[in-house]
Amino acid sequence: MAIFLIAYGFFGAYITGPLKHAGFSWKRIIQHLTLTTEGVYGQILGVSSTFIYMFILFGAFLAVTGMSAVFNDISMALAGGARGGPAKVSVLASGLMGGISGSASANVVTTGAFTIPLMRKLGYKDYFASSVEAAASTGGQIMPPVMGSAAFIIADSLGIKFFEVIKAALLPAILYYVSLWIMIDLRARKEKISGLPKEALPKLKEVIVSRGHLLIPLFGIIFMLVSGYNAMRAAVIGIVLSVVCSFFRKDTWIKPLALLKAMESGALSALSVAAACAVIGILIGMVSLTGAILAMGAAILKLSGGMLALTLILTMMTATILGMGLPTTACYVLTSTIAAPAIVQLGVPPLAAHLFVFYYGILSAITPPVATAAYTAAGLSGANPNRTGFSAVRLAATGFIIPFMFVYSPELLLPAGLSVLLIIRVICTSLIGVFALSLAIEGYYERHLNLFERVACAAAAILLIDSGIVTDCIGIGIVAVVWAGQRFYTKKMAAA
């Protein structure tokens, strides 16, 4: 894409339509890409070599302490015995790991190697087990505090505090994981899949006592970030804490060789991110030099006729295509540069617009045909990658709706000045909407839903996107009727 855009900068005079420009010489292109802040050595590479590098290094230090095993054991203790246990373990473990991981595929490999075989053992089909892990790991990139390292760039780009970004992203991320949990529970109900036997599960108290001290650096860094500490300082203190806390018990000591391995792993991981950010700098430089940003924004607005709903759909498609195959940070930078301006022009707050395109760029990791997270997960089970990808999209369907929810209901982003009652109402209606959409997609609760019930639940979910009193009441009423019908059927069958 970078080569294509450089060629576009040189041959722009020969193109017809709104993307035509006068064309630039090689000297002018090279000067713009290397001597300005809108090229290779721009804001994005600067953030990747400072904030992002430090948090990648922090993640590498956590990895050598055995943090992923702690997350897995805690998730197993909490959810392993529940209906469809291993799938719910995957959701919890991937959410915890994803909060500090910078890659959906890396998250899949870390937690999927443990959870996918467990899901297969209990009777889940290979593609479904892989799709659960892919969807859960992809969601980790939208989970605060790190958000795949993109949270720092979002704050820097918009000139707002880091805390404002993670506060805004928190509730949508929770809704995403709640929806996955519900979908998995409904599937387990339908296929009669139980949890793991109690004797096979680790005891939460024992895990906390033996390795709970390894969680201190994670809680420490979250506290520092929320308290307003500089992100660089917070990362450095987090790294120091991870080393110090490992010495609380002899069996968790970080040995000198492991310390060197953590440094090497962090440096190598940061290189791939820096390289991607440098190339994205070329893309940003060329679209700014040629004016393509304005042209693409104008084209989207022209196609949509200035209608917000249609503009959002077109922007969603653009962000999903642009994000395919890109690392999280590069994905955000590209999608926010090209796709976000169109919806900002229609009055959507900049933070909501940037999170909107960020969501769809991230969800491209499970969207066929590229679907990098789905391909990685399929490789762990031997499943068909495309079938895994489509199944993951089905599971994560609420994730494709949530950005529309926070555009039409900005209260979901928890802006300043909201009353407690309004926050409670927004949370409750959002959860009901997520439940309605899950019922419509999975088509099962106490029994199989008929076509009318599924359509009604889908309509209720759409109505609950808007935060209006009337639409909320109608949507909640529809869900209540369907739920009551399902419960009545259960009581009738029990009596029979």
Side-chain angles (χ1 to χ4, degrees):
M1 193 182 291
I3 293 171
F4 172 80
L5 282 174
I6 291 173
Y8 166 65
F10 187 72
F11 296 108
Y14 302 98
I15 298 173
T16 58
L19 292 177
K20 181 176 181 177
H21 60 86
F24 299 91
S25 66
W26 288 118
K27 182 179 179 181
R28 179 73 178 89
I29 290 172
I30 292 170
Q31 284 178 337
H32 187 79
L33 294 182
T34 57
L35 300 179
T36 72
T37 57
E38 293 182 329
V40 175
Y41 305 108
Q43 174 196 29
I44 307 309
L45 190 62
V47 174
S48 78
S49 62
T50 51
F51 300 109
I52 293 175
Y53 173 72
M54 292 306 299
F55 274 85
I56 289 175
L57 194 61
F58 172 63
F61 272 82
L62 289 184
V64 299
T65 65
M67 177 67 76
S68 60
V70 177
F71 284 154
N72 285 338
D73 285 349
I74 290 175
S75 302
M76 281 285 286
L78 291 174
R83 183 169 43 221
K88 292 176 178 176
V89 169
S90 174
V91 171
L92 281 178
S94 297
L96 291 169
M97 194 68 193
I100 57 172
S101 169
S103 166
S105 296
N107 201 355
V108 168
V109 173
T110 304
T111 57
F114 167 73
T115 58
I116 289 176
L118 278 178
M119 285 187 266
R120 295 288 310 281
K121 184 178 178 181
L122 276 189
Y124 284 111
K125 295 180 176 64
D126 56 359
Y127 74 89
F128 185 80
S130 295
S131 65
V132 168
E133 182 57 48
S137 294
T138 298
Q141 303 307 291
I142 58 176
M143 175 61 75
V146 178
M147 297 168 65
S149 300
F152 308 108
I153 302 180
I154 296 174
D156 197 56
S157 300
L158 297 178
I160 59 178
K161 293 180 179 179
F162 177 77
F163 176 68
E164 292 299 315
V165 177
I166 60 175
K167 183 181 73 168
L170 180 60
L171 188 52
I174 291 173
L175 285 176
Y176 179 87
Y177 276 102
V178 168
S179 72
L180 277 182
W181 187 281
I182 295 172
M183 290 286 285
I184 289 165
D185 186 71
L186 294 176
R187 176 62 64 95
R189 280 172 176 262
K190 184 162 60 175
E191 298 186 0
K192 305 294 188 292
I193 296 175
S194 59
L196 293 167
K198 189 175 181 180
E199 58 272 14
L201 301 175
K203 291 180 172 55
L204 182 61
K205 184 178 179 181
E206 292 179 2
V207 175
I208 297 298
V209 169
S210 63
R211 288 174 292 162
H213 58 283
L214 298 178
L215 297 172
I216 294 174
L218 182 58
F219 287 118
I221 203 167
I222 292 172
F223 172 77
M224 285 182 283
L225 290 172
V226 170
S227 300
Y229 277 74
N230 177 274
M232 288 282 287
R233 178 181 292 183
V236 171
I237 294 173
I239 291 170
V240 173
L241 277 176
S242 66
V243 176
V244 172
C245 291
S246 73
F247 288 102
F248 287 3
R249 288 180 66 94
K250 190 173 181 180
D251 57 343
T252 61
W253 285 5
I254 299 182
K255 297 178 176 60
L257 190 61
L259 197 64
L260 292 174
K261 184 180 178 182
M263 294 178 181
E264 178 190 38
S265 174
L268 290 174
S269 298
L271 281 175
S272 61
V273 175
C277 288
V279 175
I280 290 297
I282 295 175
L283 301 177
I284 293 172
M286 292 312 302
V287 295
S288 66
L289 178 64
T290 59
I293 294 176
L294 297 175
M296 291 188 71
I300 290 174
L301 290 173
K302 185 176 181 180
L303 281 172
S304 66
M307 296 172 56
L308 179 59
L310 190 52
T311 303
L312 291 174
I313 292 171
L314 292 172
T315 304
M316 172 190 76
M317 295 167 62
T318 304
T320 303
I321 293 169
L322 289 173
M324 287 182 174
L326 289 177
T328 301
T329 47
C331 172
Y332 161 71
V333 173
L334 184 59
T335 54
S336 63
T337 301
I338 295 177
I343 54 177
V344 171
Q345 289 184 53
L346 292 181
V348 175
L351 180 56
H354 281 239
L355 287 176
F356 183 91
V357 296
F358 176 59
Y359 255 72
Y360 291 113
I362 294 304
L363 289 171
S364 67
I366 55 171
T367 307
V370 179
T372 51
Y375 267 77
T376 305
L380 296 175
S381 68
N384 180 286
N386 280 324
R387 192 173 186 186
T388 299
F390 285 115
S391 178
V393 168
R394 190 170 183 269
L395 279 171
T398 302
F400 290 88
I401 301 296
I402 287 172
F404 285 87
M405 293 172 68
F406 62 63
V407 167
Y408 283 100
S409 302
E411 300 88 355
L412 274 177
L413 299 183
L414 303 178
L418 283 186
S419 67
V420 176
L421 287 177
L422 182 56
I423 293 173
I424 293 172
R425 177 193 149 204
V426 167
I427 292 173
C428 291
T429 55
S430 300
L431 290 173
I432 295 170
V434 164
F435 178 63
L437 185 62
S438 301
L439 288 177
I441 293 170
E442 199 57 45
Y444 191 90
Y445 186 58
E446 300 288 352
R447 59 169 173 78
H448 287 280
L449 275 68
N450 59 42
L451 180 61
F452 174 77
E453 288 173 320
R454 294 181 75 167
V455 171
C457 286
I462 293 171
L463 286 169
L464 287 163
I465 289 176
D466 193 354
S467 60
I469 296 288
V470 175
T471 53
D472 282 352
C473 289
I474 295 172
I476 292 170
I478 292 172
V479 176
V481 169
V482 173
W483 179 83
Q486 292 280 315
R487 296 299 298 169
F488 176 76
Y489 170 82
T490 303
K491 291 179 180 179
K492 183 179 177 182
M493 292 301 293

